[in-house]
Amino acid sequence: MSVFSMARLVFAASLSLGVALAQGQGGGAQGGGGGAAGNAGGNAGGNTGGTPGGVPGANTPGNVPGRGQQPGQQDDPFGRNQQQRFPDMQRPIFLSGKVVTEDGSPPPDSVTIERICNGQIRPEGYTDSKGRFSFELGRNQNVMQDASVSNTGDGFGGFGNQRNNSPFGNSANSGITERDLMGCEIRASLPGYRSDVVNLSGRRFMDNPDVGTIVIRRLAGVEGSTISMTTMLAPKDAKKAYEKAINNLKKKKYDDAQKELEKAVGAYPKYAVAWNLLGQVHQQAKRDDEARAAYQKSIEADDKFVSPYLQLALLAAGDQKWDDVAGLTAKVTKLNPMDFPQAFFYNAVANYNLQKFEDAEASAREAVKLDTQHRMPKAQHILGVLLAMRNDLNGAAEHMRGYLQFAPQAQDADLVKKQLTDIEGKLGQTEVVQKQEP
């Protein structure tokens, strides 16, 4: 069987197994973007452009040089003394601070605070309505996920994994040690914005938890976001019900959260974030029809609000309605072409299944380009398959190697290795032929 045929058959078979929500390690939630008291982080989550606002360890605004170091203490760049200086004992490390926009005002909705350690991103907590945050590092069991975040595994739930449409994270971190903070920083994550970063290296559990003020700056040319402008117009009773829903969700009281969200949208039908969160509650309970209806209401309330489009695309992908997935994700990439590599990835998967291979390749290339943190390595695989299908064997091999590099433990790693071996074999044959030609 040719490389072209093998790649196509293998990938088509894996796609037919369905898709799961990209959740877990890679992003935040979305309160402003439809999740509990937070906005999609990196969303992509979300924010995918490396380390927005600065270089890890740089003295950016809100990053106090030497915070947490003892006088005269210096970091050993070779790590020789880290074990003595930073014991492995897990002790609570608290952080607090404030997030503001460039004019000094609080963000229009809640923002996810992320910890980035050596390129790995973890959501830690959220800001309140005044932009303040306070949490214990490594205890993010209340951080919830949505389709606007992706994991560090294979991005789209891992073609071939069991479908899981739960929009809420299921795993909690078990705490961290002082050593774990070497090479770490925190930032505020909100699609459409870039954030200052705060260096955490050298921080100890007895240090002052206040990390100061983190400034986020609006990006030009981005129309869509995971915050809704209708939120600012919500009356007090609607906001109060929404905040109660957030608290209930943190306690996993989903029925109570649903009641409060229904109160919120009843008092303010244009409450896009409340509709979106209500959709997630229904989705959690596997009431997909009710979830779709709530997401559609969210879009009707604010058609620039990205999160419900992504949630609808996820549901459509689970049902293999690829035309719907393609249309919904195309809307997201038009509204915000910078912050959602997962939307380009979903679009590539949809167009692959629709046999629109040129469109699929274009979207896969955008997903790989935007995924600078390699949180969605599955994009490398689909791009490799598409390139193999048109006999670009060098390009196919490059991206399949990229997939295996960033997802070495993926469930389909052995399968991809076989694909890569076949491609490399064809490349070797081509080189032999070229050498024999006069």
Side-chain angles (χ1 to χ4, degrees):
M1 182 179 291
S2 69
V3 173
F4 178 95
S5 300
M6 183 203 69
R8 184 168 177 178
L9 285 173
V10 169
F11 208 72
S14 62
L15 285 170
S16 68
L17 294 174
V19 258
L21 176 63
Q23 66 175 6
Q25 302 169 334
Q30 28 145 18
N39 287 284
N43 231 308
N47 286 339
T48 57
T51 304
V55 179
N59 293 332
T60 56
N63 183 8
V64 180
R67 185 186 294 274
Q69 286 188 327
Q70 300 299 321
Q73 182 182 20
Q74 295 182 353
D75 287 333
D76 180 350
F78 300 101
R80 289 175 295 220
N81 299 320
Q82 288 179 14
Q83 187 167 2
Q84 288 76 22
R85 290 169 50 208
F86 301 104
D88 286 331
M89 182 185 302
Q90 289 188 355
R91 292 178 289 192
I93 300 176
F94 294 92
L95 297 181
S96 62
K98 188 176 183 180
V99 177
V100 299
T101 58
E102 288 181 277
D103 63 4
S105 62
D109 212 319
S110 186
V111 175
T112 303
I113 305 298
E114 294 178 338
R115 171 168 54 97
I116 309 99
C117 296
N118 302 312
Q120 298 296 311
I121 302 173
R122 304 287 186 274
E124 290 285 356
Y126 309 106
T127 60
D128 62 17
S129 59
K130 295 184 179 180
R132 299 170 301 195
F133 62 86
S134 179
F135 51 78
E136 180 185 348
L137 280 172
R139 300 286 182 179
N140 63 349
Q141 60 264 36
N142 292 328
V143 176
M144 302 191 311
Q145 321 282 320
D146 78 339
S148 52
V149 304
S150 62
N151 66 19
T152 57
D154 49 8
F156 202 34
F159 301 105
N161 287 355
Q162 184 178 0
R163 177 181 175 183
N164 174 11
N165 273 339
S166 168
F168 303 105
N170 296 319
S171 61
N173 289 351
S174 58
I176 61 175
T177 68
E178 293 171 359
R179 262 184 89 193
D180 293 333
L181 295 183
M182 298 304 297
C184 293
E185 61 195 17
I186 62 167
R187 69 183 180 195
S189 179
L190 186 61
Y193 290 80
R194 287 294 177 259
S195 168
D196 292 342
V197 296
V198 178
N199 185 18
L200 298 181
S201 295
R203 177 167 287 274
R204 294 175 179 268
F205 83 102
M206 294 185 65
D207 289 342
N208 181 351
D210 185 13
V211 298
T213 299
I214 299 175
V215 179
I216 57 173
R217 297 168 175 83
R218 181 74 177 175
L219 292 172
V222 175
E223 190 177 4
S225 179
T226 55
I227 60 173
S228 170
M229 294 301 101
T230 66
T231 299
M232 294 183 290
L233 302 176
K236 289 183 178 180
D237 54 345
K239 287 183 177 179
K240 185 176 181 180
Y242 180 76
E243 290 171 359
K244 285 183 178 180
I246 297 294
N247 290 329
N248 284 324
L249 287 171
K250 290 179 178 180
K251 300 172 184 177
K252 301 187 184 303
K253 297 180 178 180
Y254 300 122
D255 290 341
D256 292 340
Q258 179 183 338
K259 292 176 183 177
E260 293 299 333
L261 289 168
E262 288 170 348
K263 289 181 185 178
V265 297
Y268 180 45
K270 300 289 287 183
Y271 210 163
V273 295
W275 278 117
N276 190 62
L277 187 52
L278 180 59
Q280 287 186 279
V281 171
H282 285 308
Q283 191 175 341
Q284 164 73 14
K286 302 188 184 304
R287 297 187 293 265
D288 288 357
D289 288 342
E290 289 88 343
R292 289 186 185 91
Y295 294 141
Q296 192 58 49
K297 286 285 188 181
S298 180
I299 291 171
E300 291 171 4
D302 184 354
D303 62 3
K304 300 293 191 298
F305 183 35
V306 169
S307 294
Y309 293 105
L310 286 169
Q311 295 297 135
L312 284 170
L314 179 70
L315 288 170
D319 294 332
Q320 298 186 25
K321 295 181 178 179
W322 302 115
D323 281 312
D324 291 347
V325 177
L328 289 161
T329 53
K331 179 68 173 179
V332 173
T333 59
K334 183 178 179 181
L335 286 171
N336 189 329
M338 301 176 66
D339 284 315
F340 297 100
Q342 66 271 40
F344 283 105
F345 174 66
Y346 301 166
N347 189 267
V349 172
N351 280 306
Y352 178 94
N353 280 274
L354 296 170
Q355 298 187 28
K356 297 179 179 179
F357 299 122
E358 290 185 5
D359 292 341
E361 182 181 330
S363 290
R365 287 187 182 278
E366 281 298 307
V368 170
K369 182 178 75 173
L370 292 174
D371 186 23
T372 58
Q373 298 287 340
H374 307 296
R375 299 165 67 185
M376 191 172 294
K378 197 66 181 176
Q380 299 255 18
H381 184 206
I382 188 172
L383 181 54
V385 169
L386 288 161
L387 292 175
M389 288 170 59
R390 64 176 181 83
N391 211 34
D392 179 357
L393 300 184
N394 284 304
E398 174 189 352
H399 289 291
M400 287 191 179
R401 291 187 195 107
Y403 176 56
L404 293 171
Q405 176 185 354
F406 297 113
Q409 304 301 320
Q411 289 187 356
D412 61 352
D414 289 341
L415 180 62
V416 179
K417 288 176 184 177
K418 291 178 181 178
Q419 291 179 326
L420 179 58
T421 298
D422 192 6
I423 291 170
E424 289 174 337
K426 297 294 184 182
L427 282 170
Q429 293 174 14
T430 301
E431 290 175 0
V432 170
V433 171
Q434 289 175 344
K435 289 180 180 178
Q436 292 175 345
E437 291 177 351

